[in-house]
Amino acid sequence: MGTVVDAPAVVAEEVTENMLGGKKVTVVFVLGGPGSGKGTQCANIVEHFGFTHLSAGDLLRAEIKSGSENGTMIENMIKEGKIVPSEVTIKLLQEAMIKSENDKFLIDGFPRNEENRAAFENVTKISPAFVLFFDCSEEEMERRLLGRNQGRVDDNIETIKKRFKTFVESSLPVIEHYSSKDKVKKVLVNYLARLMLQNQFLRFLKTSKPFLPHMRQRLNRAIQGTP
Ligand SMILES: Nc1ncnc2c1ncn2[C@@H]1O[C@H](COP(=O)(O)OP(=O)(O)OP(=O)(O)O)[C@@H](O)[C@H]1O
Ligand SMILES: Nc1ccn([C@@H]2O[C@H](COP(=O)(O)O)[C@@H](O)[C@H]2O)c(=O)n1
């Protein structure tokens, strides 16, 4: 595991250059158990640093809604807390990145298993600049998921237990893989420390190298509340 931090910190000493559909892209994977707060913190990062947030789960749910031929299969996998075949998810992520005018992406909830990881790297030739790992206890994640109230078919206790099992068996090995490459920045999550973490996160970002200089100016303005 790389440097352990107690805040949702972003460290990118070197931004890896990847090409996608002719454009150079920066990709950060955001991983963690179900309900660990990935989506919530991605929204904070987007707000301050102009990344585009791509949630694999949201893309799959949109695919179900679109009436796609894969819709029923995806819905069944989600209800069972299982991982959808890589080719389906990678196609959705690739399409979203190519369609976007941005070149910096937070990819949330992907790669979910070794197959996801290897297939993405083979197909897109993209390596993440780093991986943010939200480390949260199952007790806390369960509490959050049961209180989320967004009408998700998988936020019930039976599916939540299955999702935890999938996370431990299939997703943790992905984090270990990137950890062995020193690419993982672990965020220790704690409900009571929420505000403190967010402040530390902003301070950390403020001094991070890849955000020099215009991003830092924007962050300073955001913190000071000036336009
Ligand atoms: N630090 C926090 N303290 C308390 N509640 C939180 C915190 N962060 C997020 N939450 C709440 O927990 C729930 C789950 O958060 P979020 O949707 O961000 O998790 P996630 O990791 O993206 O989940 P999933 O993988 O299931 O999509 C939401 O209702 C959110 O408002
Ligand atoms: N790479 C992925 C990501 C998600 N899924 C399926 O979607 C469900 C919900 O994902 P969230 O990230 O929104 O929690 C997840 O439990 C999987 O069933 C997937 O298959 N592959």
Side-chain angles (χ1 to χ4, degrees):
M1 191 71 60
T3 312
V4 176
V5 293
D6 63 354
V10 169
V11 182
E13 293 85 6
E14 279 181 42
V15 172
T16 315
E17 291 187 1
N18 304 285
M19 298 301 291
L20 183 87
K23 72 176 167 182
K24 198 166 73 180
V25 298
T26 299
V27 164
V28 173
F29 288 145
V30 182
L31 300 177
S36 57
K38 303 179 294 294
T40 304
Q41 292 304 334
C42 281
N44 282 337
I45 298 171
V46 164
E47 189 185 334
H48 291 288
F49 298 105
F51 276 79
T52 290
H53 174 207
L54 296 178
S55 155
D58 284 351
L59 288 170
L60 290 168
R61 284 182 285 273
E63 189 68 357
I64 298 172
K65 274 200 186 143
S66 75
S68 127
E69 57 178 351
N70 285 322
T72 307
M73 178 274 290
I74 296 171
E75 189 164 24
N76 288 335
M77 301 296 266
I78 289 179
K79 279 182 186 158
E80 285 304 311
K82 290 184 179 163
I83 298 167
V84 171
S86 299
E87 61 267 24
V88 174
T89 318
I90 290 171
K91 185 166 168 278
L92 295 172
L93 286 168
Q94 262 185 315
E95 283 170 0
M97 284 193 282
I98 290 170
K99 207 164 93 185
S100 169
E101 290 182 359
N102 205 345
D103 58 2
K104 293 188 297 182
F105 299 97
L106 288 174
I107 300 193
D108 160 7
F110 184 97
R112 219 49 167 235
N113 60 10
E114 276 295 298
E115 190 212 345
N116 270 185
R117 183 196 66 73
F120 184 83
E121 291 193 4
N122 283 336
V123 171
T124 66
K125 312 292 178 210
I126 292 173
S127 301
F130 56 92
V131 176
L132 270 184
F133 167 37
F134 286 77
D135 193 14
C136 189
S137 69
E138 284 194 2
E139 188 190 14
E140 175 64 8
M141 293 193 288
E142 183 182 311
R143 195 189 64 77
R144 291 182 188 180
L145 292 173
L146 290 175
R148 183 153 58 179
N149 284 328
Q150 286 178 358
R152 277 178 52 162
V153 293
D154 52 352
D155 280 350
N156 58 78
I157 192 63
E158 196 189 333
T159 310
I160 287 170
K161 296 289 181 203
K162 291 178 182 170
R163 291 159 75 195
F164 286 166
K165 189 164 183 287
T166 301
F167 176 70
V168 171
E169 290 177 356
S170 304
S171 308
L172 278 180
V174 175
I175 293 158
E176 279 154 20
H177 169 87
Y178 286 118
S179 187
S180 73
K181 298 187 174 307
D182 208 19
K183 284 200 166 189
V184 175
K185 304 298 169 192
K186 183 157 92 167
V187 178
L188 300 179
V189 178
N190 178 314
Y191 173 60
L192 292 173
R194 184 179 184 181
L195 279 176
M196 185 186 80
L197 296 187
Q198 286 178 349
N199 287 339
Q200 286 180 0
F201 177 45
L202 291 176
R203 277 204 300 278
F204 195 94
L205 288 176
K206 210 176 128 185
T207 53
S208 281
K209 211 163 98 186
F211 300 105
L212 292 173
H214 68 284
M215 298 301 265
R216 183 173 294 162
Q217 283 167 357
R218 279 175 52 196
L219 177 59
N220 279 331
R221 283 201 299 271
I223 290 170
Q224 288 157 14
T226 51

